Amino acid sequence: MTMTKVDIESKVHSLGEMQPWNHNYELPFGVQTAPGRQTSHGKNLIKLARLQPLFDIIGLKDKNVLDVGCNEGFFSMHMARADASVLGIDIDEKRITKAQFIRDTLKGGDVRFQLMDIYSQAFRDLPRFDLCLCLGFIHRVPDPFSALAALSERTDMIIFEWKALKFGPHDDAFAYFSPKAIDDADYYGTEYWLLSYTALERIMRRLGFGYFHRIDDPRQRRAIMVAGRHHHPLFDRPEQIEHRGRAQALLSHGKLFARTVKGILTGRVNA
């Protein structure tokens, strides 16, 4: 049945009442799910601008892609429109419901959405994929190593985008446990571990991945890294690391040093 503008607006509203929209889609008749200018680096349109060059280099046509923690399906839909065959999975039933509504409304490409836990037998029974997308996911799992081990069984290339630990020595393998409380309104959106680039890279090396490509913009806390088991021309390209400048770096590390000194003097730091 063809939906009218009123039908679409009503459905978008009811789904938003069930759970606020995260991704902004433009639907038929100009209806948007989350209208307004996006400023957060975690939002879908801003992420897409950073990720599209990687998609272009890797090539999505005829790829079998797994989108883990697909949320409302924006990137699954985007890859399907680029002629990939996509399975988007999420543990949140509300997000999958919204993703399925979007798919049925936009009717674009070979894409499926499924409620699935990455620790389940159903996940272990999935076939292997050419590419796995892991966006806004790894900082929202209590045990990142086990989660990454599960993902590494399903693919040889993973694109990561996550809220990374950016303070401290850049190349140290730090994992920082978030001070934020459990998110009662969005349980699966709760923040746990913030991993540095090197922490994530070392985990992936232990899991058999030996090729990496970093995109690091110090003006934001969202990091991007591609990990692969096998060589790809992407890994021959220079990493995209934007340096903040000596003054900003000195200020950032100086604040951390000052906090450490204060902790030692007040007895809160004992090592």
Side-chain angles (χ1 to χ4, degrees):
M1 183 181 69
T2 302
M3 298 182 74
T4 67
K5 181 178 182 180
V6 172
D7 293 333
I8 295 174
E9 287 177 334
S10 176
K11 189 65 174 179
V12 167
H13 177 75
S14 65
L15 290 173
E17 288 287 304
M18 175 185 71
Q19 181 189 65
W21 285 92
N22 182 34
H23 293 169
N24 185 34
Y25 286 96
E26 184 164 341
L27 303 177
F29 307 105
V31 178
Q32 295 187 50
T33 55
R37 179 173 176 267
Q38 293 190 350
T39 57
S40 168
H41 292 113
K43 292 302 182 181
N44 61 304
L45 298 180
I46 294 177
K47 282 187 189 182
L48 179 59
R50 300 181 69 206
L51 290 165
Q52 187 59 53
L54 293 177
F55 296 157
D56 293 340
I57 296 167
I58 293 170
L60 298 176
K61 183 176 175 58
D62 299 327
K63 291 281 200 308
N64 290 315
V65 180
L66 176 65
D67 186 2
V68 175
C70 66
N71 206 295
E72 295 153 7
F74 178 85
F75 288 96
S76 296
M77 294 290 295
H78 179 77
M79 291 185 291
R81 286 193 292 268
D83 296 323
S85 177
V86 187
L87 172 62
I89 66 170
D90 204 291
I91 199 173
D92 189 328
E93 186 173 7
K94 295 176 182 177
R95 290 188 171 114
I96 290 294
T97 297
K98 288 188 283 185
Q100 290 171 336
F101 161 71
I102 293 295
R103 178 200 60 199
D104 294 343
T105 302
L106 294 179
K107 297 178 172 52
D110 180 8
V111 58
R112 295 175 293 130
F113 294 107
Q114 205 168 331
L115 185 69
M116 190 178 293
D117 184 339
I118 62 170
Y119 302 116
S120 67
Q121 186 61 48
F123 183 81
R124 291 191 289 273
D125 289 341
L126 288 175
R128 292 185 64 80
F129 293 83
D130 300 313
L131 175 67
C132 176
L133 207 57
C134 186
L135 310 181
F137 175 79
I138 203 62
H139 58 278
R140 303 199 185 281
V141 292
D143 181 358
F145 186 89
S146 294
L148 292 168
L151 299 187
S152 71
E153 293 297 319
R154 303 271 61 83
T155 187
D156 291 329
M157 179 179 281
I158 305 176
I159 300 178
F160 293 101
E161 185 273 346
W162 78 105
K163 188 178 287 188
L165 180 65
K166 288 297 193 76
F167 62 76
H170 181 81
D171 286 324
D172 280 355
F174 283 137
Y176 174 76
F177 194 77
S178 173
K180 294 183 179 179
I182 297 291
D183 190 338
D184 293 324
D186 181 14
Y187 179 77
Y188 295 115
T190 297
E191 187 177 284
Y192 291 94
W193 292 96
L194 306 185
L195 303 180
S196 68
Y197 278 96
T198 302
L200 179 56
E201 182 176 314
R202 287 188 186 174
I203 290 172
M204 297 312 297
R205 285 188 182 278
R206 186 167 292 189
L207 294 170
F209 288 69
Y211 296 91
F212 302 91
H213 181 81
R214 297 184 185 188
I215 298 178
D216 181 9
D217 184 345
R219 296 169 296 184
Q220 57 175 291
R221 294 179 65 193
R222 309 294 293 210
I224 295 173
M225 186 167 74
V226 184
R229 275 200 178 93
H230 308 297
H231 179 264
H232 185 281
L234 169 67
F235 301 119
D236 293 330
R237 291 175 175 249
E239 294 187 314
Q240 301 172 47
I241 299 176
E242 297 186 29
H243 294 281
R244 71 183 70 186
R246 291 185 176 87
Q248 287 295 325
L250 181 62
L251 181 62
S252 174
H253 290 274
K255 287 180 179 178
L256 179 62
F257 177 74
R259 287 198 298 268
T260 302
V261 170
K262 182 179 179 181
I264 293 172
L265 294 177
T266 58
R268 296 184 65 186
V269 175
N270 194 33

